Amino acid sequence: MNMARGKIQIKRIENATNRQVTFSKRRNGLFKKAQELTVLCDAKVSIIMCSSTGKVHEYVSSSTTTKQLLDECQRRLKIDLWSSQYEKMQENLKNLKEVNINLKKEIRQRLGESLNDLSLKKLSDLEQDVDNCLRIIRERKLRAISGQIVTHKKKVRREEEENRKLRNGFIINAKEEDQHYELVDNEGHYDSVIRFQNGGPGIFALCLQPNEALSSQWMSIHE
């Protein structure tokens, strides 16, 4: 019993996966037929197609290019495929040149040049624009200064911490080397003072002056 093959209804395939699979199969079949036509009939064939995913697929006979085929079509059909596109490009170029001229003029006006032709309203608008620009610049400048201040404070804190560690390390090393050293209070004039417990010949102090830049000096006070 012979069963006739069912006729496929030509309509849009709703399932995206099935649609892409069908596209790939039929694209390959179309390109295969174009290649056979090129070889069997010595024809020049060019096929360009875009899928629903936005990809461009192209086949062109090995003996030619798509541009050559389009140029040949123009000659044989006596039409110009590029004139309308060229006119659009020329119009676009003209508009871009006008925009460029206007931008250069605005730049000169913001520099205080080419102001003679401006009306009072345009001068007022220009003044407002310049004031807004200055305000934005000042705000950015203040943010930059604030950032530098924060960075400087962090640097000062790091240096103070490093100085404290060095001072403490010196005191600890001095006491380990000689047990006669001890810390005494010097009424706040020096941060730390080392002396002999038995009333030695001198007192050695590490001096940090308050409210000044980080610095240190050694003093010897003889009795």
Side-chain angles (χ1 to χ4, degrees):
M1 181 178 179
N2 294 331
M3 297 184 62
R5 183 178 180 181
K7 185 177 181 180
I8 299 177
Q9 187 178 3
I10 302 300
K11 67 176 184 178
R12 184 178 184 273
I13 301 174
E14 297 299 331
N15 185 276
T17 302
N18 295 339
R19 185 167 60 245
Q20 184 62 31
V21 170
T22 302
F23 174 82
S24 299
K25 289 181 178 180
R26 300 213 172 194
R27 177 201 61 199
N28 294 338
L30 183 60
F31 284 177
K32 182 178 179 181
K33 292 295 183 182
Q35 184 181 18
E36 292 175 355
L37 189 63
T38 298
V39 175
L40 296 174
C41 303
D42 194 24
K44 296 179 181 179
V45 182
S46 177
I47 302 176
I48 300 175
M49 62 177 67
C50 297
S51 67
S52 58
T53 59
K55 293 183 178 180
V56 178
H57 305 270
E58 179 181 10
Y59 171 84
V60 62
S61 300
S62 59
S63 60
T64 186
T65 64
T66 300
K67 183 179 182 306
Q68 289 174 347
L69 278 176
L70 291 174
D71 291 341
E72 186 173 349
C73 290
Q74 289 187 102
R75 289 193 302 270
R76 296 191 178 185
L77 299 176
K78 296 182 180 179
I79 59 175
D80 190 351
L81 298 175
W82 314 115
S83 58
S84 59
Q85 182 66 20
Y86 178 77
E87 291 174 359
K88 291 180 180 179
M89 292 175 62
Q90 287 294 104
E91 184 66 22
N92 187 40
L93 179 60
K94 180 181 177 181
N95 294 334
L96 289 176
K97 286 182 177 180
E98 291 179 357
V99 171
N100 186 47
I101 292 173
N102 292 333
L103 288 175
K104 288 183 177 180
K105 186 176 181 180
E106 289 183 7
I107 291 174
R108 290 196 302 270
Q109 291 172 349
R110 290 177 182 271
L111 294 175
E113 304 173 0
S114 303
L115 302 177
N116 295 332
D117 297 334
L118 295 181
S119 63
L120 179 60
K121 183 179 184 307
K122 289 185 177 180
L123 286 172
S124 299
D125 293 341
L126 178 61
E127 182 183 15
Q128 184 65 37
D129 290 341
V130 172
D131 288 341
N132 291 335
C133 292
L134 288 174
R135 177 179 55 80
I136 294 173
I137 292 172
R138 291 191 185 102
E139 291 175 354
R140 180 65 185 91
K141 180 181 177 182
L142 288 176
R143 288 198 299 269
I145 292 174
S146 299
Q148 291 182 358
I149 291 175
V150 171
T151 302
H152 178 71
K153 287 182 177 180
K154 290 180 179 179
K155 182 178 180 181
V156 170
R157 286 195 294 268
R158 287 196 300 268
E159 291 178 351
E160 289 176 346
E161 179 65 18
E162 184 66 23
N163 182 74
R164 185 186 63 80
K165 291 179 180 179
L166 291 174
R167 186 176 68 247
N168 292 341
F170 172 79
I171 295 172
I172 293 173
N173 291 336
K175 294 185 68 175
E176 289 178 350
E177 293 177 0
D178 192 332
Q179 298 298 324
H180 296 293
Y181 284 113
E182 68 175 349
L183 292 176
V184 298
D185 185 10
N186 196 32
E187 297 180 355
H189 188 69
Y190 301 105
D191 278 11
S192 60
V193 177
I194 303 173
R195 73 176 183 183
F196 289 103
Q197 287 182 345
N198 299 326
I203 297 177
F204 295 89
L206 176 63
C207 175
L208 292 177
Q209 300 294 342
N211 300 325
E212 293 183 1
L214 293 175
S215 61
S216 62
Q217 60 183 353
W218 288 101
M219 297 182 59
S220 176
I221 304 175
H222 297 280
E223 294 181 353

